Amino acid sequence: MHPQIYEDIYNAELTHWWFCGRRHIVASLLRQFAPKRRPLRIADVGCGMGASLEMLGEFGWVAGLDYSATALGFSQQRGFPRLLAAALPCLPFANAEFDIVCALDVIEHIDDDAAAVRELWRVCKPGGLLVVTVPAYEWLWSEHDDINEHKRRYTRPQLRDRLVLPGADIVRLSYMNTLFALPVMLFRLARHLSGKKKSAPGDLKSDVFPLPRLLNSFFKFLFSSESVWLRYASLPFGISLICILRKHEG
């Protein structure tokens, strides 16, 4: 990830509407679908600056993994002790080590995303869950993708194909961030059609920037509210995708 974005994310992810909404949706679906035994063993692979670790702690013992020493340093500042430097597609764990394995906006950073997914699945226990979120639609590519060093964005069929794994049942596969999709799509399409030149590396702009408090709270409410729908059905389009897989027992 581009160096300039680490501190921006660290400062934003506890309050920014997008991070808060994603955590709310993931937590809601885990309350519905996670194994009922407690405590669970959970791996947050690509934990970044650590804001999801506290949310996942609701469900049990959590380990945070990231390839970046900078990211792990920020996670440590949040007070999380179980942090490990590791990079996909090679995790330092035995087979079937975790009840829940999360890769929240991670595999789009990996050159060989298929190998990364297989490795995430390897460390997931029978009866356990793999939770994956990714950005949607290649044609929505923006400077935000460049500064985050994304390799790709996905459609729902592409993510489904990538997550064809032995002994896997799809619990939920859906777009999300649907309520904001139309304005974002129109804005990015207009930028593409305008032929605006790509910014130099030092001038790239992230989509993570502060908003007025009331507007941020409203956006957070709207995005988080999608969790109600996602408990029962999938959304037809959106800026992101979420998939939850359950591994067969036995």
Side-chain angles (χ1 to χ4, degrees):
M1 193 160 60
H2 198 281
Q4 74 187 71
I5 202 170
Y6 282 102
E7 189 166 358
D8 291 343
I9 292 177
Y10 176 76
N11 290 330
E13 64 180 355
L14 291 182
T15 56
H16 189 277
W17 67 270
W18 186 86
F19 292 106
C20 292
R22 186 185 67 175
R23 286 195 302 274
H24 184 91
I25 288 169
V26 170
S28 174
L29 292 174
L30 287 178
R31 291 183 195 113
Q32 183 176 7
F33 296 120
K36 300 306 179 187
R37 61 184 179 273
R38 294 290 189 275
L40 301 173
R41 287 178 59 84
I42 304 155
D44 187 7
V45 181
C47 65
M49 275 51 77
S52 293
L53 294 169
E54 182 175 358
M55 175 271 291
L56 293 170
E58 172 187 337
F59 303 94
W61 183 97
V62 185
L65 293 81
D66 205 285
Y67 78 95
S68 167
T70 303
L72 291 173
F74 280 117
S75 288
Q76 194 169 37
Q77 288 183 42
R78 297 202 192 280
F80 295 107
R82 293 183 294 274
L83 300 169
L84 184 66
L88 288 168
C90 186
L91 300 178
F93 298 111
N95 294 344
E97 190 82 8
F98 295 99
D99 299 289
I100 298 173
V101 180
C102 292
L104 306 180
D105 288 80
V106 171
I107 66 170
E108 69 272 15
H109 297 269
I110 310 297
D111 287 318
D112 190 347
D113 58 344
V117 165
R118 289 194 299 271
E119 182 70 352
L120 294 166
W121 197 236
R122 180 186 68 80
V123 301
C124 185
K125 290 182 181 181
L129 299 180
L130 171 60
V131 183
V132 174
T133 63
V134 294
Y137 302 124
E138 195 76 18
W139 60 269
L140 284 178
W141 195 273
S142 71
E143 290 185 353
H144 181 78
D145 297 284
D146 291 323
I147 200 171
N148 280 278
E149 298 182 349
H150 291 169
K151 309 296 183 184
R152 67 195 69 80
R153 300 175 71 98
Y154 297 78
T155 62
R156 178 174 167 162
Q158 287 170 337
L159 185 59
R160 181 190 291 274
D161 290 346
R162 181 55 68 231
L163 294 174
V164 173
L165 295 162
D169 287 328
I170 294 178
V171 174
R172 181 72 72 239
L173 172 57
S174 177
Y175 289 99
M176 62 179 184
N177 206 349
T178 298
L179 295 174
F180 292 96
L182 186 58
V184 170
M185 289 174 174
L186 290 174
F187 175 75
R188 291 193 181 172
L189 184 60
R191 285 177 63 89
H192 291 324
L193 293 176
S194 72
K196 184 177 179 180
K197 291 183 179 180
K198 187 176 178 179
S199 300
D203 297 325
L204 293 173
K205 299 291 192 298
S206 169
D207 289 347
V208 178
F209 53 86
L211 293 172
R213 184 174 177 180
L214 287 177
L215 184 61
N216 185 71
S217 296
F218 180 59
F219 283 6
K220 180 169 64 175
F221 168 77
L222 288 179
F223 188 18
S224 298
S225 70
E226 294 181 5
S227 65
V228 178
W229 180 270
L230 288 170
R231 289 179 63 85
Y232 304 101
S234 298
L235 292 163
F237 60 91
I239 305 304
S240 301
L241 283 149
I242 185 166
C243 187
I244 300 180
L245 299 178
R246 179 177 286 118
K247 183 179 277 193
H248 292 173
E249 298 195 58

